[in-house]
Amino acid sequence: MPETAGRHRHRSGRPAWSRRGVLTALGAAVPALALTGCGASADAAEGTGAAATDGATAGSGATSSQVRKPTVSVTPADGTRKAAFTSPVEIAVTDGTLSTVVVSGNDGSILAGSFDEGRTRWTSTAHPYSGTKYTVTAKTADGSEHTANFVTKSPGETFVGRFTPEANSTSGVGMPVSIGFTHAVADRAAVEKAITVTAEPAVEIVGHWFGNTRLDFRPRDYWAAGTKITLSLRLRDVEGADGVYGVQSKDVVLHIGRRQVSTVDLAKETMTVERDGATLASYPVTGGDADHTTWSGIMVISERLRETRMESSTVGLGDEYDIADVPHAQRLTTSGTFIHGNYWAAASVFGSGNTSHGCIGLHDAKGGADRSVPGYRFYDSSMLGDVVVVENSGERTVEASNGLNGWNLSWADWKTGSAL
């Protein structure tokens, strides 16, 4: 039988390949090698996503450069020591998606944020706090974790809001929530927006600016007896003026006690005290004389002193008087109007004429220890925030800013003083 073309046997009996046979075999192998090269092409795998025709061929064609791990970036960058606190924090990922992001401050705060639709970016819903170290922990969908740290810079100049009344105190129904700022406020809207006052039972409460350092809050009418008020200050890092930032973030609870409103009629020289709708007492009084008339209008007790010194020079009246031990003094205006005990005038003066330098006087005893006299009794029945209404004094209505006396503004006028 003839030998297969291109082969012959050596003496050993093993087949041998001729030069022509080798070339023929190589030529037959070329198409197979070319096919394998196309099947493992990077262009075909990434550009078209076409499946390989042979499992072994596809596996042998993949390379490590084609498997890209997610890359996470953080703004502010990892290691930043004086990061801005006036911009949100952002975490972004390429070649992957974010599963969780936690941004925690060394003050115990957690910065809230949200993902975009594709979960490739997370942005904080608020700015980070100043002077705080933050740790970012971001996990991607493949299970990998990325951490970063940055520290925000501290503000150069700051301000605080000092509030009246004191936290957890109980006041009368006329007490506004009054906030005095330690630096003039240029951006009133930003500051007012950062302060909220709520009440139980609920009522509409609006802020009113008196100049650029004072903001008061009140409802349309006096507070209801027994109201619980919550003052929320979120001033931290609020820019009140150029380069001047707030530092407070706190909630304060305040309470309103019983309703007491006292009406002073200086045409009759009497004061009627009503509590919770019933008459509690009626006292003879003396008010300002014709040369030193008493302010008229709605006034709120803003300070209580069992005994104090009163000097005429402090209210622009020269050396007309200097009394070292005025008993039971309760302030009604910043300018110096008080309702107080008076032991130096004869008892017959009260209820029969107005003889003071502008204050409202009640008969009292020197030393203030006599519980039976009107000065003691009225002081004992009063509290900060109680309302004193003065009528028929012959003087114009007191300015709303002169003490805690915003009730002299109509509700419409009060609301125009808001920056929001």
Side-chain angles (χ1 to χ4, degrees), residues 74-90 103 111 124 126-134 149-156 237 239 245:
V74 176
T75 305
D78 184 29
T80 303
R81 305 302 301 172
K82 293 184 178 181
F85 57 85
T86 55
S87 302
V89 176
E90 292 187 346
V103 182
L111 200 58
S124 65
H127 296 170
Y129 287 133
S130 62
T132 305
K133 179 180 179 181
Y134 284 93
N149 295 279
F150 63 88
V151 179
T152 53
K153 63 183 179 181
S154 297
D237 298 335
E239 192 172 19
Y245 296 88

Side-chain angles (χ1 to χ4, degrees), residues 330-364:
Q330 302 187 88
R331 182 183 292 275
L332 300 179
T333 70
T334 305
S335 61
T337 306
F338 283 79
I339 183 166
H340 61 78
N342 179 328
Y343 67 81
W344 52 91
S348 60
V349 168
F350 304 95
S352 62
N354 295 314
T355 61
S356 80
H357 288 81
C359 290
I360 300 165
L362 298 98
H363 178 55
D364 211 325

Side-chain angles (χ1 to χ4, degrees), residues 2 43 82 88 120 148 193 235 241 267 279 288 318 331 357-358 372:
D43 291 340
K82 293 184 178 181
T120 60
K193 186 178 180 180
L235 292 170
T279 299
R331 182 183 292 275
H357 288 81
S372 68

Side-chain angles (χ1 to χ4, degrees), residues 21-32:
V22 170
L23 292 172
T24 302
L26 289 172
V30 168

